[in-house]
Amino acid sequence: MTAQQNLIDAVTTRFGPKAALLEAEAIAPWLDDWRGRYHGAAAAILQPDSTDAAAAMVVLAAQHGVALVPQGGNTSMVGGATPPADGSALILSLRRMNRVRRIDASANLAEVEAGVILADLHAAALAQDRRFPLTLGAKGSATVGGLVSTNAGGTQVLRFGTMRGLVLGLEAVLPDGSVHDGLAALKKDNRGYDLNQLLVGAEGTLGVVTAASLKLVPAVQARAVAWVGLASPHAALELLRTLEAATDAIESFEIVAAQSLGAVLRHIPGTRAPLTGDHPWHVLIEAVATSADQESPTALLERLLAPPLERRLVADVVIAASEVQADAFWKLRESISEAERASGPALQHDISVPVAGMPDFMIDGAKAVEARFPGVSAGAFGHLGDGNVHFHVRAPAGSAADWAKANSDLISPFVHDLVVAAGGSISAEHGIGQMKRDELARLSSPARMHALAAIKRAFDPRNLFNPGKLVSLAPERPDQ
């Protein structure tokens, strides 16, 4: 018997048949990444239903020398939850661990297991007049464990930060099977290295998150959404700074180029332009109120946007007159990736640079790419206030469907070099996974890579947790 089969037998003997998914057809949907770029193989999916079961499975895997790939909703954009193509690892799925353990409205805290789907967490918090202030397009399938492990962002980072700032405590199984119990939401804890924060963004390479204590905030009582037309990203940033100086009620500030909006209007049924006339750039703004004694968000935006309109910092503004219209504005923003896929092949880059430098990068970076690769068009959209945009390079007209794959090794390093030269990061939200692992090594300082490898080796010397992701590490021999 192989080591994998011995592990599967040990797991099913101890925990029953539901603890290991063995049917090829049932396993198949979990072998490909979200974008369909990476394709793995696995003989089984191990499915613990408790922290104790997860820890026991990790111990058994270590005893048999079998690598594990932790997986939640499998929504990674960089192949971070895809098993190796050679079938050398099993998937460790946390989807059965999907209990909301408690919602403490008075403490603004939720304690939930790793398999809880983001949309279900939203619903559980709202039932207690609270909300979890992180949302993204994959909220119907992304799980808490994956969000923690990738340090997910979303459209509310401007006000509340990434997942790292929303994690108050963690429970995790480490590669030796020991359980890190750090769920207590301590405001002060000075016991040396912060293991919770080390696990956030580790992409399952240092341990598998089994539960998290998360920050909640009061539920939204009212919101207003505005669509603004303006001349440049520089004007957009000036507008953002003006709003931030006046209020803390702005939760989202998304920038959209005319080219991206045009793609949505062409390819997404039922969409329409919010403004008349042509505008080179657009901004979507959302303001909220969480109590009745706050100024109405609509009145707030009307008051704050009037002066920039009068001095022509912005060219035109419309504030949604209803929730239906507000949702329609958001649909325009959230449909950009779908619309651009329908427009033809493209290479997508999830990057960040310092906020002050983002307007220049959006313009100069696009020009540099277009000059270096004639025929392509480049542009960016996204979270201007976070210094994080999605920088897309679109194929020349008439390109074959495999254009992105054929050109990624040339174009993406060029884009990443521009990002690093601007003091930025090649991954702002999506993580490193396997897609950006080599680029991380190429562009990072020796100090960073040495530290990452040393941390990985200290936690997982046999390289059994999510091998091949984030950082390359040869496994130690048993005699080492």
Side-chain angles (χ1 to χ4, degrees), residues 29 42 49 293 334:
D49 63 357
D293 58 356
E334 293 170 346

PDB file of all heavy atoms in Angstrom, residues 29 42 49 293 334:
ATOM      1  N   PRO A  29     -14.067  18.863  -9.008  1.00  0.00           N
ATOM      2  CA  PRO A  29     -14.254  20.323  -8.980  1.00  0.00           C
ATOM      3  C   PRO A  29     -13.262  21.067  -8.092  1.00  0.00           C
ATOM      4  O   PRO A  29     -13.121  22.288  -8.221  1.00  0.00           O
ATOM      5  CB  PRO A  29     -15.684  20.483  -8.449  1.00  0.00           C
ATOM      6  CG  PRO A  29     -16.349  19.177  -8.729  1.00  0.00           C
ATOM      7  CD  PRO A  29     -15.278  18.155  -8.574  1.00  0.00           C
ATOM      8  N   ALA A  42      -5.401  14.710  -6.842  1.00  0.00           N
ATOM      9  CA  ALA A  42      -5.403  14.248  -5.452  1.00  0.00           C
ATOM     10  C   ALA A  42      -6.243  12.990  -5.354  1.00  0.00           C
ATOM     11  O   ALA A  42      -7.324  12.913  -5.948  1.00  0.00           O
ATOM     12  CB  ALA A  42      -5.946  15.330  -4.514  1.00  0.00           C
ATOM     13  N   ASP A  49     -14.419  17.448  10.788  1.00  0.00           N
ATOM     14  CA  ASP A  49     -15.590  18.222  11.202  1.00  0.00           C
ATOM     15  C   ASP A  49     -15.372  18.903  12.547  1.00  0.00           C
ATOM     16  O   ASP A  49     -16.305  19.451  13.127  1.00  0.00           O
ATOM     17  CB  ASP A  49     -16.835  17.329  11.253  1.00  0.00           C
ATOM     18  CG  ASP A  49     -16.726  16.214  12.273  1.00  0.00           C
ATOM     19  OD1 ASP A  49     -15.658  16.082  12.925  1.00  0.00           O
ATOM     20  OD2 ASP A  49     -17.700  15.449  12.421  1.00  0.00           O
ATOM     21  N   ASP A 293     -28.797  59.212  14.557  1.00  0.00           N
ATOM     22  CA  ASP A 293     -28.420  60.593  14.845  1.00  0.00           C
ATOM     23  C   ASP A 293     -27.303  61.114  13.936  1.00  0.00           C
ATOM     24  O   ASP A 293     -26.895  62.266  14.038  1.00  0.00           O
ATOM     25  CB  ASP A 293     -28.010  60.745  16.312  1.00  0.00           C
ATOM     26  CG  ASP A 293     -26.852  59.847  16.705  1.00  0.00           C
ATOM     27  OD1 ASP A 293     -26.406  59.045  15.857  1.00  0.00           O
ATOM     28  OD2 ASP A 293     -26.403  59.929  17.871  1.00  0.00           O
ATOM     29  N   GLU A 334     -18.454  45.996 -10.205  1.00  0.00           N
ATOM     30  CA  GLU A 334     -18.174  44.586  -9.943  1.00  0.00           C
ATOM     31  C   GLU A 334     -18.167  43.730 -11.204  1.00  0.00           C
ATOM     32  O   GLU A 334     -17.718  42.577 -11.170  1.00  0.00           O
ATOM     33  CB  GLU A 334     -19.200  44.041  -8.942  1.00  0.00           C
ATOM     34  CG  GLU A 334     -19.037  44.665  -7.556  1.00  0.00           C
ATOM     35  CD  GLU A 334     -20.184  44.332  -6.620  1.00  0.00           C
ATOM     36  OE1 GLU A 334     -21.233  43.839  -7.111  1.00  0.00           O
ATOM     37  OE2 GLU A 334     -20.039  44.564  -5.407  1.00  0.00           O
TER      38      GLU A 334
END
